């Protein structure tokens, strides 16, 4: 088979300055021949065409061709240069927030899990009591368990509870996960290729035990907000009787509150027991008005039966990107 790469791209990636014909000879030297320069130049100049033998299944992209040309040229022959830009590497703010929350939620007694990014349509929608909506699906899934990319972290935690029935639930079994879900998105395009989807970082936690543990999950919500320096609204503080939040430093203009999640008001309502679920509302300088960033509550008995869970369970799931 034939593969192509721009001569300019190869030179830029390796950091060398080799003319087209000598570059073709380097390809012949590394068993990517016969190689030639196409008569019609592309937008970036001359185009190099190589012949990939059957034994080189690793050659998939222009960068693979550039790597072999660099080996043929000799890494020791590449002249060392000082970078034109001076930058300092650092952790992305979203990853840093996730790492800090993992430590704090772990200290609260929750066990972190890492579940599959793919799941079945039934687990992602029907088993949770939610309508089937648009999701990124696989055209040729290996089996029924890997049909779509998850749009919620909850199925993974519930299946973890399902497969750990031998654990002691006497004092409550706490699980959490901070990971990405993939949501359909045809509006915000950040690359030249429209993929129609975007990643969203979320935190999800469950509590299963002899009692529903609604107050425990509610406390985790308040703890996460306190760690993110988001203050509760005055009405929320007065109704809860908790005055300690005033002693914690909070970001200016950031507030949160909760309200009852009513049946039919959201696609998530069917997941929770009626009257025992709430929405988390965030007010920030970025968004202005109140925005729903998550939900929490006691899971519906039908949802627990779908995942074969024998104990009452409460759960929370909220968007982390909104808290930055």
């Amino acid at each position: 088979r034939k593969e192509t790469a721009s001569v300019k791209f190869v030179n830029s990636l390796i950091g060398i300055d080799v003319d087209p014909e000598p570059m073709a000879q380097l390809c012949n030297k590394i068993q990517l021949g016969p190689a030639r320069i196409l008569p019609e130049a592309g937008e970036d100049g001359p185009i190099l065409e190589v012949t990939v033998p059957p034994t080189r299944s690793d050659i998939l992209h222009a960068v693979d061709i550039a790597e072999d040309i660099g080996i043929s040229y000799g890494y020791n022959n590449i002249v060392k240069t000082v970078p034109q830009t001076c930058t300092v590497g650092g952790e992305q703010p979203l990853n840093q927030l996730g790492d800090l929350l993992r430590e704090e939620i772990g200290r609260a007694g929750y066990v972190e899990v890492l579940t599959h990014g793919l799941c079945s349509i039934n687990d992602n929608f029907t088993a949770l009591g939610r309508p089937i909506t648009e999701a990124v699906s696989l055209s040729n899934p290996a089996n029924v368990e890997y049909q779509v990319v998850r749009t919620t972290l909850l199925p993974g935690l519930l299946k973890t509870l399902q497969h750990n029935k031998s654990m002691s639930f006497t004092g409550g079994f706490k699980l959490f996960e901070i990971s990405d879900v993939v949501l359909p998105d045809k509006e915000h395009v950040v690359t030249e290729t429209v993929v129609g989807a975007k990643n969203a970082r979320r935190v999800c936690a469950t509590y299963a035990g002899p009692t529903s543990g609604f107050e425990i999950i509610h406390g985790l919500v308040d703890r996460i907000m306190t760690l993110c320096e988001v203050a509760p609204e005055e009405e929320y503080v007065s109704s809860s009787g908790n005055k300690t939040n005033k002693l914690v430093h909070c970001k200016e203009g950031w507030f949160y509150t909760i309200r009852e999640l009513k049946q039919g008001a959201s696609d998530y309502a069917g997941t929770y027991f009626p009257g025992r679920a709430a929405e988390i509302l965030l007010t920030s300088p970025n968004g202005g008005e109140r925005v729903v960033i998550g939900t929490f509550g006691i899971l519906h008995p039908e949802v627990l039966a779908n995942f074969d869970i024998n104990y009452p369970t409460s759960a929370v799931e909220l968007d982390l990107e909104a808290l930055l």
Side-chain angles (χ1 to χ4, degrees), residues 58-313:
D58 60 305
I59 304 294
L60 302 174
H61 192 269
V63 294
D64 301 316
I65 300 175
E67 179 186 10
D68 276 26
I69 292 175
I71 295 172
S72 179
Y73 183 83
Y75 287 149
N76 292 332
N77 297 326
I78 300 175
V79 179
K80 296 180 180 180
T81 58
V82 178
Q84 297 180 355
T85 57
C86 182
T87 60
V88 178
E91 194 173 14
Q92 290 288 346
L94 184 60
N95 294 336
Q96 185 180 29
L97 175 62
D99 290 341
L100 294 174
L101 285 179
R102 285 186 181 95
E103 294 181 7
E104 293 294 335
I105 298 176
R107 291 190 181 103
Y110 290 80
V111 178
E112 184 178 11
V113 298
L114 184 62
T115 58
H116 291 294
L118 301 177
C119 60
S120 66
I121 295 177
N122 180 70
D123 290 343
N124 197 71
F125 297 107
T126 309
L128 293 178
R130 302 177 182 180
I132 298 177
T133 57
E134 190 177 7
V136 178
S137 60
L138 275 67
S139 60
N140 56 341
N143 54 57
V144 71
E145 292 294 326
Y146 305 107
Q147 292 177 315
V148 296
V149 185
R150 62 186 177 186
T151 60
T152 171
L153 298 177
L154 196 53
L157 295 183
L158 296 183
K159 295 188 79 171
T160 303
L161 289 174
Q162 176 186 358
H163 291 90
N164 286 272
K165 295 179 181 179
S166 60
M167 298 292 292
S168 174
F169 285 76
T170 305
F173 193 27
K174 301 177 181 178
L175 298 175
F176 83 97
E177 181 176 8
I178 298 178
S179 192
D180 282 4
V181 299
V182 179
L183 305 175
D185 180 24
K186 294 182 174 60
E187 298 180 1
H188 304 90
V189 180
V190 295
T191 63
E192 296 179 357
T193 303
V194 180
V195 295
K198 66 177 181 179
N199 284 33
R201 187 69 51 85
R202 290 186 179 178
V203 54
C204 184
T206 58
Y207 173 89
T211 62
S212 62
F214 178 81
E215 69 282 355
I216 296 177
I217 288 296
H218 190 178
L220 179 63
V221 172
D222 290 337
R223 178 59 177 163
I224 291 175
M225 290 299 179
T226 301
L227 293 171
C228 294
E229 300 182 347
V230 180
E233 294 186 2
E234 291 294 336
E235 183 180 356
Y236 177 53
V237 174
S238 60
S239 63
S240 65
N242 185 6
K243 307 297 183 181
T244 59
N245 294 85
K246 294 184 178 181
L247 305 177
V248 180
H249 170 74
C250 297
K251 294 182 288 188
E252 185 177 356
W254 292 74
F255 300 97
Y256 81 96
T257 186
I258 64 173
R259 72 181 177 195
E260 181 183 356
L261 178 59
K262 298 182 179 180
Q263 293 295 311
S266 170
D267 292 342
Y268 303 106
T271 304
Y272 301 103
F273 196 88
R276 300 291 288 170
E279 293 177 312
I280 307 170
L281 305 176
L282 177 70
T283 303
S284 66
N286 302 331
E289 299 293 331
R290 287 179 174 177
V291 179
V292 178
I293 63 169
T295 58
F296 71 95
I298 301 175
L299 297 182
H300 198 283
E302 293 182 358
V303 174
L304 298 180
N306 292 334
F307 287 93
D308 195 20
I309 298 174
N310 301 325
Y311 293 91
T313 304

